[in-house]
Amino acid sequence: MAKSAKLLAIKRGKVLLVRRKRDRLWMFPGGRKRARENEKDCLRREISEELPKLKLGKLALWEEAKVKNRFSGRRMSDAIFIAKKASGNLTIGDKKEIDRAAWRKPRGLRLTPTSRYIRDKVFPKRKRE
């Protein structure tokens, strides 16, 4: 089982990201699992804490990433879910941890290592000819 869960929501070429207050890095919403909690329940709880007015449609497991992160060197253990639909106001619930939430283009931002991994899998760089 994964240790944490992340949300991948895409709308018109933009992804839903939140910015951590402590280091101002952008990341996909989500967080660590609690004891006796499955990954999907973890994600729904984290979203309700971080973005309480966000409404999610059906969640589908996209990937369970159990790899060594090439950027940070740490082992990742994340269940990454795709939301079929995400709507509502991006009001911040946990203001101690997060200071912004936005639909952003996935490139040109300072992302956490795990979020860079997810972005590069979903939006690989195109090779120029």
Side-chain angles (χ1 to χ4, degrees), residues 79-120:
I80 304 159
F81 289 90
I82 291 183
K84 300 293 181 190
K85 184 179 176 185
S87 62
N89 195 321
L90 297 181
T91 302
I92 306 297
D94 186 355
K95 291 188 166 116
K96 291 178 187 166
E97 186 179 343
I98 295 166
D99 66 355
R100 286 195 61 201
W103 293 95
R104 305 284 307 256
K105 292 275 186 187
R107 299 250 172 228
L109 297 170
R110 292 182 56 231
L111 296 172
T112 63
T114 300
S115 295
R116 281 197 305 259
Y117 169 84
I118 296 168
R119 178 206 57 201
D120 291 346

Side-chain angles (χ1 to χ4, degrees), residues 2 4-9 28-29 38-44 58-64 78-84 118:
S4 66
K6 299 285 183 203
L7 173 68
L8 176 57
F28 290 94
N38 68 39
E39 289 90 350
K40 197 178 278 190
D41 290 340
C42 166
L43 183 60
R44 289 203 181 273
K58 186 176 177 185
L59 295 174
L61 181 64
W62 174 66
E63 179 179 321
E64 197 158 329
D78 296 284
I80 304 159
F81 289 90
I82 291 183
K84 300 293 181 190
I118 296 168

